[in-house]
Amino acid sequence: MRIIIANWKMKFTIKESLNFLRRFKKQKLPFGVEVVLAPSFISLKEVGEGLKKTSLKLGAQDVFWQEKGAFTGEISPEMLKETRVEYVIVGHSERRQWLKETDEMINAKIVNLLKNDLMPVVCVGETWQEKNENLTEKVICRQIKVGFRNIKTDKTLVIAYEPVWAIGTGRPAFPEDAAQMHQLIRKCLEKIFGREAVKKNARVIYGGSVNAQNTAAFAKEEGIDGFLVGGASLDPEEFYKIIKACQSKNFKK
Ligand code: PGA
């Protein structure tokens, strides 16, 4: 089963989210693809209602690392669950950059999610500068090592490889480079969870300027289990084309 997640960031109002959903719901989803919509917090409840009786899943774009308490402006796992959320993105590079989120904070968020039976979608990836300084491997292994510190689980984990320089730039990674990074991510995860567990539970997806034109090239690569899509997920027709390009028959394995 491949996972395709629409990350709507701070782009859609409630009205716009529902408008997307109304148009998108008409499409027939191909077999073997799990499609997740991640609207803003404020749209979750209504989008969640709109998803009823469909096979679409609901995702959130973040969560706080504590379960409850005096944390003004934050959202807990319990609150997310009230709105049918199943997947939660954590560690997105925009939050690392603008909100100064650290690997330690992301670790605490993952712990909080797993404790509450929500599926984390953990974003990792290097900046352009790190890439040029040949630090990619080091950065990604650190993000994984600290991000999953003290975590023992046999639940599904989704890791999104999102090179920061590819996000929103129209310059995606080369598919073969992305596939190599996915392999590296699996190796780092194996050190924590063991080989068998990673094989069974880890899904590594790619994000960064994915669109209807380039999906098929990524889908052909080994070890790319799906996509986290930003800009191209805002248009129902384009997003549907991405999903169609991810049908099982177009993937290697
Ligand atoms: P993009 O964003 O598809 O617009 O590059 C991806 C993401 O930030 O998750």
Side-chain angles (χ1 to χ4, degrees):
M1 180 74 93
R2 318 293 164 180
I3 304 174
I4 325 282
I5 305 172
N7 176 10
W8 289 346
K9 309 192 180 187
M10 203 179 70
K11 304 254 177 131
F12 275 167
T13 60
I14 301 176
K15 212 163 147 189
E16 288 163 338
S17 304
L18 293 176
N19 191 28
F20 176 104
L21 192 59
R22 194 172 38 76
R23 290 167 62 194
F24 187 70
K25 267 202 312 200
K26 294 183 191 132
Q27 312 281 19
K28 194 171 172 305
L29 294 181
F31 181 73
V33 184
E34 174 122 309
V35 180
V36 183
L37 302 180
S40 64
F41 282 141
I42 203 162
S43 308
L44 282 173
K45 194 163 185 329
E46 285 175 63
V47 173
E49 291 292 318
L51 294 182
K52 276 187 191 161
K53 296 195 194 124
T54 76
S55 60
L56 293 163
K57 305 285 182 185
L58 190 62
Q61 297 176 19
D62 190 38
V63 69
F64 195 53
W65 59 75
Q66 295 277 348
E67 284 191 282
K68 211 180 185 74
F71 303 106
T72 304
E74 293 298 338
I75 303 276
S76 72
E78 194 186 351
M79 292 170 187
L80 293 179
K81 285 200 339 197
E82 269 186 338
T83 68
R84 312 168 71 88
V85 162
E86 290 177 58
Y87 291 80
V88 182
I89 301 169
V90 288
H92 192 283
S93 65
E94 283 149 13
R95 299 196 61 86
R96 293 181 191 258
Q97 182 189 353
W98 301 111
L99 296 142
K100 305 287 172 242
E101 286 198 5
T102 64
D103 294 323
E104 286 76 11
M105 291 176 192
I106 292 154
N107 173 249
K109 290 183 181 199
I110 301 171
V111 171
N112 204 14
L113 289 174
L114 290 172
K115 207 161 144 191
N116 285 282
D117 286 320
L118 286 163
M119 202 183 300
V121 177
V122 184
C123 302
V124 298
E126 79 285 4
T127 62
W128 184 247
Q129 192 182 344
E130 288 160 347
K131 180 178 166 64
N132 283 325
E133 290 172 8
N134 282 323
L135 293 172
T136 302
E137 207 172 310
K138 199 171 156 200
V139 168
I140 288 179
C141 286
R142 188 208 66 226
Q143 289 173 339
I144 291 178
K145 197 172 156 202
V146 182
F148 288 100
R149 186 175 280 162
N150 295 327
I151 291 177
K152 281 195 187 68
T153 180
D154 56 2
K155 292 179 185 156
T156 305
L157 298 171
V158 184
I159 293 89
Y161 171 54
E162 294 211 304
V164 180
W165 46 270
I167 296 175
T169 59
R171 273 190 308 139
F174 292 116
E176 55 276 24
D177 291 347
Q180 248 184 31
M181 294 310 300
H182 284 216
Q183 250 183 36
L184 170 78
I185 289 168
R186 284 203 173 80
K187 281 216 179 83
C188 299
L189 288 168
E190 280 171 12
K191 286 190 194 149
I192 304 169
F193 298 105
R195 206 161 174 184
E196 278 313 301
V198 171
K199 208 167 150 195
K200 198 168 126 239
N201 302 329
R203 320 277 271 285
V204 189
I205 64 177
Y206 170 79
S209 296
V210 171
N211 61 32
Q213 282 76 47
N214 61 30
T215 311
F218 282 101
K220 278 197 199 102
E221 293 291 333
E222 206 164 321
I224 296 187
D225 300 327
F227 299 98
L228 180 53
V229 189
S233 73
L234 298 170
D235 176 62
E237 281 79 34
E238 169 134 30
F239 188 52
Y240 187 61
K241 282 186 194 153
I242 293 173
I243 293 162
K244 289 285 274 183
C246 290
Q247 291 180 87
S248 307
K249 64 183 172 66
N250 295 333
F251 268 86
K252 246 194 183 161
K253 246 233 60 58

